[in-house]
Amino acid sequence: MPYGIDFPGGPSGRFSNGLTTVDVIAEQLGFDDYIPPYVTASGQDVLGGDSILQGINYASGSAGILDETGKHLGKNVPLGTQVQNHQKTFSKIAAMKGGKDSATKHLNGCIYYMSIGSNDFLNNYFLPKQYKTSKLYSVDKFTVHLATTYRDKIKTLHHYGARKIAVVGVGKVGCVPHMMDMFGTKGSKCIQNVNSAAQNFNKQLKKLVVDLNKELKDAKLIYINSYGMSDGDPTILGFKYITSGCCKSREDGQCVEGETPCSNRKEYVFWDSFHPTETGHKAVADRTYKSLLPSDSDPFDLHSLAALDIGVKSGRRAEETSERGLEL
């Protein structure tokens, strides 16, 4: 507490007062329950069984595309390890369904929602005292490095069954309260050089999606423009507090344990000094699932991606590329 104050059952590992974007999308897709975390769905906890056939959340707080990202905050599971965990999931599904072809066919119909990269800026590149990346790379070269690493991981997921992939762009990380407190805004609403870095990375992601759609003929990737979704007047959605979090935050931007948060949570964009409130997540989820503007997604939205019928194609069997995937 106060994390999960509005979530059924209380704190659950979600860095919010309630639902996250993926939780809302699960509701929109018609799931009976929210997607369980990997450690639970893999059979290491109370669920076990066939829960992995319904979906798994591999996400990890503070984690990024790069292995070192966010490590100053404690242990996390970076993207590379998340992909390795999916490879283990693939093996479990293959054992349950009688072979790798059957596992691949099952996973072909699943949606892979990939939202990662913010921490590579917030908890890596723009923390020069903890990380050396800003000394090793210019912003342009860093975003290329991130996108190249990301691309490799997506291709590994494709080898292990992924065919419907939503790649979510980085939001306006220069408007995150913790960043504004740390750097100061000098009279502006956000930190422009941080937002510019995010925009640069998003351009790389859009190119990545276009390129992989050409390369992976049996898959379809879409780009979700979360940065653009935050344009416009937030008061139209009922938000009154844009630059501060609902809960009292510690020095690291997380809620102070046990402190009573604000009562008018629907009026806040941010829950703590980093993460959105449930209301903020819902606003993004609604436009992710069904685009409000043509610029929200490319080439189409998540609802359309879910409706696609993508079958198994020859020459892309997971067993043919397992060695390469495991090396990554």
Side-chain angles (χ1 to χ4, degrees):
M1 282 294 187
Y3 289 98
I5 191 171
D6 299 314
F7 188 80
S12 62
R14 290 164 172 81
F15 283 85
S16 182
N17 59 304
L19 303 181
T20 65
T21 300
V22 176
D23 294 323
V24 178
I25 290 173
E27 290 181 342
Q28 293 165 327
L29 287 170
F31 280 83
D32 294 329
D33 204 351
Y34 305 118
I35 309 302
Y38 170 74
V39 67
T40 300
S42 61
Q44 298 174 25
D45 210 326
V46 292
L47 290 180
D50 62 358
S51 62
I52 64 172
L53 298 178
Q54 303 302 312
I56 294 180
N57 191 331
Y58 296 94
S60 175
S62 81
I65 296 168
L66 303 181
D67 288 349
E68 70 269 19
T69 291
K71 288 296 193 288
H72 69 288
L73 294 170
K75 292 181 179 180
N76 62 32
V77 184
L79 179 59
T81 306
Q82 293 178 31
V83 171
Q84 290 175 7
N85 287 339
H86 179 64
Q87 292 170 210
K88 295 175 183 177
T89 299
F90 180 91
S91 297
K92 288 175 181 281
I93 293 176
M96 294 169 68
K97 286 192 163 288
K100 295 180 178 179
D101 284 343
S102 296
T104 299
K105 184 177 180 180
H106 174 80
L107 292 170
N108 284 175
C110 298
I111 288 177
Y112 289 70
Y113 180 93
M114 303 187 70
S115 179
I116 196 165
S118 294
N119 283 315
D120 293 290
F121 295 100
L122 295 170
N123 290 309
N124 189 330
Y125 193 81
F126 288 104
L127 292 180
K129 291 183 179 179
Q130 284 94 347
Y131 302 93
K132 59 183 180 181
T133 45
S134 61
K135 299 180 180 67
L136 297 174
Y137 301 96
S138 66
V139 170
D140 289 348
K141 290 183 177 179
F142 183 65
T143 56
V144 170
H145 176 50
L146 287 179
T148 301
T149 305
Y150 203 169
R151 176 192 177 98
D152 289 343
K153 300 300 183 284
I154 291 175
K155 290 186 71 172
T156 302
L157 288 175
H158 175 264
H159 291 316
Y160 282 86
R163 296 296 183 271
K164 299 181 178 184
I165 305 170
V167 177
V168 183
V170 169
K172 294 183 178 180
V173 289
C175 303
V176 170
H178 186 74
M179 294 297 282
M180 293 193 290
D181 291 342
M182 189 165 58
F183 290 104
T185 60
K186 299 178 181 179
S188 62
K189 293 183 179 179
C190 301
I191 306 168
Q192 189 52 46
N193 68 311
V194 179
N195 276 346
S196 294
Q199 288 178 299
N200 195 322
F201 176 59
N202 288 339
K203 288 179 182 178
Q204 295 293 331
L205 286 187
K206 291 181 75 173
K207 183 178 184 300
L208 179 154
V209 168
V210 170
D211 290 347
L212 287 180
N213 273 329
K214 293 178 180 177
E215 180 180 346
L216 307 176
K217 302 295 186 181
D218 58 350
K220 179 56 70 175
L221 288 81
I222 64 172
Y223 173 76
I224 304 298
N225 182 19
S226 59
Y227 191 102
M229 289 179 189
S230 58
D231 288 340
D233 183 4
T235 61
I236 294 175
L237 298 175
F239 293 116
K240 295 182 180 179
Y241 304 95
I242 316 301
T243 60
S244 60
C246 170
C247 72
K248 181 179 179 181
S249 295
R250 307 180 313 203
E251 187 176 344
D252 62 2
Q254 314 303 321
C255 294
V256 175
E257 184 177 352
E259 285 280 343
T260 302
C262 68
S263 58
N264 53 337
R265 294 185 276 280
K266 291 185 178 180
E267 297 178 350
Y268 279 77
V269 172
F270 289 98
W271 166 241
D272 55 19
S273 291
F274 278 113
H275 307 94
T277 55
E278 176 178 290
T279 307
H281 280 294
K282 284 183 176 179
V284 173
D286 287 344
R287 291 176 66 171
T288 297
Y289 187 63
K290 285 192 175 181
S291 294
L292 177 66
L293 300 174
S295 59
D296 285 351
S297 56
D298 187 33
F300 43 73
D301 57 27
L302 193 70
H303 176 262
S304 300
L305 181 67
L308 284 182
D309 183 15
I310 299 179
V312 181
K313 304 293 184 180
S314 61
R316 291 288 181 181
R317 298 168 62 190
E319 60 264 39
E320 295 173 355
T321 54
S322 60
E323 182 178 355
R324 179 184 173 190
L326 289 169
E327 286 174 353
L328 289 171

